[in-house]
Amino acid sequence: MRVTAIAPSNIAFIKYWGKKDEILRLPANTSISMNLSNLNTTTTVEFSKDFENDSVEINKSTTDAPRVIKFIDIIRKRANIIGKVKIVSENNFPTAGGLASSASGFAALTVAATTAAGLRLSEKELSILARIGSGSASRSIPDGFVEWHEGDSSDTSYAESLYPADYWDIADVIAIIDEGKKDVPSTEGHKSAQSSIFFPDRMKNINNKIKNIKEAIRKKDFPQFGEIIEAEALEMHAVMLTSVPPLIYWQPATIRLMREVINWRREGLSVYFTIDAGPHLHLICQKKDERNVTKRLILIEEVEKTVINSPSAGARIITATSGF
Ligand code: PMV
């Protein structure tokens, strides 16, 4: 069977940075995210004994992708199949530029490959499997606003939906600052988190922060929510900056934009930022302010592009047909 799936990327409001188990990809803490409507990966998978080799095509170019094949081997073993695989995958945004391509990529791959292999997994099982591919991919399986429980074993570390996509009309306007590839991929970066002197303090306070953000989302209290996500992004970057060796994901334009957002807020526009392992800013606002935020961003020279996102459903199958 040939199966095509689509999966959204997601933006974390409470970040996953650092692991307590490297092999199982168990995160150091629970994280909270929202799926993004306009950053997604579409992936087609087929297994066949007629294929001579495994083949992986990402964004129209053939690659070796050992991490992808290792992941496919887990699925082949579980489904007890021996056929070679053909994978064709496309992102509608730049790969590996700090825009979480691994989240949408491994979520789409998990759904397409397990279905193509004849497995019928629950959402929880899909999230666990996606996590093994890439931690944040576990959060791109369920719908809308998502919590990834850190767990203490593979079976207890999975994501589930807190609220569906239409629960809250908020937007993520991404300001893309530099489309080049980032220096240190997040998989590498996670390993250094514990070397920051701030990491133990972050862990001490994280459960309290999670409780507060869940409360803000439940009440749809936007300013309370915004204050938490902005402080959280700065805290994660404080850990990155003080890791050994230090990780500096920001560009000069990242800092300029952070200052702009704080100024816009002083002028009465309710907008907050968050940042992942890259230079781009995610400007989180209410839907009613989305155009105003975008208009202001377009006037800033260093902003190469903006991508407006609303909350989105999670990974899903688009087509399943028999054979090529
Ligand atoms: O799943 P990874 O290894 O790409 O890690 C994602 C790390 C951050 O984007 C920085 C934070 C997060 O929770 O998404």
Side-chain angles (χ1 to χ4, degrees):
M1 191 167 33
R2 182 166 53 137
V3 180
T4 303
I6 186 165
S9 179
N10 66 73
I11 181 67
F13 299 134
I14 299 295
K15 308 292 187 184
Y16 149 52
W17 194 248
K19 287 176 248 190
K20 57 186 174 199
D21 186 309
E22 185 60 40
I23 304 198
L24 293 176
R25 278 184 213 277
L26 298 185
N29 58 274
T30 291
S31 54
I32 309 274
S33 64
M34 176 180 99
N35 287 330
L36 301 175
S37 60
N38 275 325
L39 293 189
N40 42 59
T41 303
T42 305
T43 300
T44 301
V45 179
E46 184 177 5
F47 291 94
S48 170
K49 285 185 193 136
D50 298 337
F51 298 152
E52 272 184 24
N53 299 304
D54 289 332
S55 68
V56 183
E57 187 191 299
I58 300 176
N59 292 338
K60 304 222 157 35
S61 54
T62 306
T63 87
D64 281 348
R67 190 166 154 195
V68 169
I69 297 302
K70 211 171 137 196
F71 184 70
I72 289 293
D73 285 340
I74 298 173
I75 294 174
R76 271 196 278 243
K77 201 166 157 200
R78 192 144 161 188
N80 206 7
I81 56 172
I82 50 166
K84 298 287 180 197
V85 74
K86 178 173 178 178
I87 301 171
V88 178
S89 187
E90 192 124 17
N91 295 325
N92 71 341
F93 59 93
T95 304
L99 281 178
S101 56
S102 65
S104 54
F106 274 100
L109 182 65
T110 301
V111 170
T114 52
T115 311
L119 293 169
R120 296 292 170 265
L121 302 185
S122 66
E123 183 182 278
K124 178 177 164 181
E125 289 168 322
L126 288 168
S127 177
I128 290 170
L129 192 55
R131 187 203 78 231
I132 292 166
S134 176
S136 55
S138 66
R139 297 189 308 236
S140 287
I141 299 284
D143 287 343
F145 297 81
V146 172
E147 175 170 13
W148 170 17
H149 306 284
E150 61 180 290
D152 52 14
S153 63
S154 191
D155 287 351
T156 52
S157 186
Y158 62 94
E160 63 183 342
S161 185
L162 289 170
Y163 299 101
D166 62 2
Y167 170 73
W168 199 8
D169 255 356
I170 61 173
D172 175 1
V173 183
I174 306 175
I176 297 181
I177 281 171
D178 182 314
E179 291 216 11
K181 292 207 173 196
K182 64 187 175 206
D183 322 341
V184 180
S186 51
T187 319
E188 286 307 305
H190 283 289
K191 292 183 192 158
S192 65
Q194 270 94 344
S195 67
S196 162
I197 53 157
F198 296 142
F199 193 77
D201 283 340
R202 169 167 170 73
M203 288 302 109
K204 255 183 239 158
N205 188 41
I206 197 89
N207 287 336
N208 196 29
K209 212 191 265 194
I210 291 167
K211 185 174 134 268
N212 291 342
I213 201 168
K214 283 171 79 172
E215 182 66 8
I217 299 174
R218 191 185 63 75
K219 291 191 301 196
K220 299 187 185 171
D221 183 333
F222 190 72
Q224 192 193 345
F225 169 76
E227 296 291 340
I228 298 171
I229 65 166
E230 210 171 271
E232 165 64 358
L234 290 169
E235 185 178 295
M236 179 182 71
H237 280 271
V239 167
M240 290 164 162
L241 290 165
T242 51
S243 290
V244 186
L247 290 172
I248 307 174
Y249 284 107
W250 295 347
Q251 300 281 345
T254 313
I255 297 169
R256 155 140 200 233
L257 255 176
M258 288 193 258
R259 290 179 183 278
E260 290 287 359
V261 171
I262 293 164
N263 277 336
W264 295 346
R265 230 168 29 236
R266 284 198 193 110
E267 291 165 20
L269 179 61
S270 191
V271 56
Y272 297 84
F273 64 78
T274 182
I275 311 171
D276 275 345
H280 322 293
L281 252 77
H282 292 247
L283 273 63
I284 311 295
C285 63
Q286 293 163 97
K287 178 93 186 147
K288 65 177 173 63
D289 294 322
E290 174 189 285
R291 283 183 56 188
N292 192 351
V293 168
T294 311
K295 238 172 47 200
R296 289 173 190 238
L297 281 176
I298 290 168
L299 297 176
I300 298 176
E301 202 190 320
E302 297 97 321
V303 175
E304 285 184 9
K305 208 160 97 183
T306 57
V307 183
I308 303 175
N309 294 277
S310 42
S312 157
R316 57 215 174 265
I317 292 169
I318 318 177
T319 55
T321 52
S322 52
F324 274 99

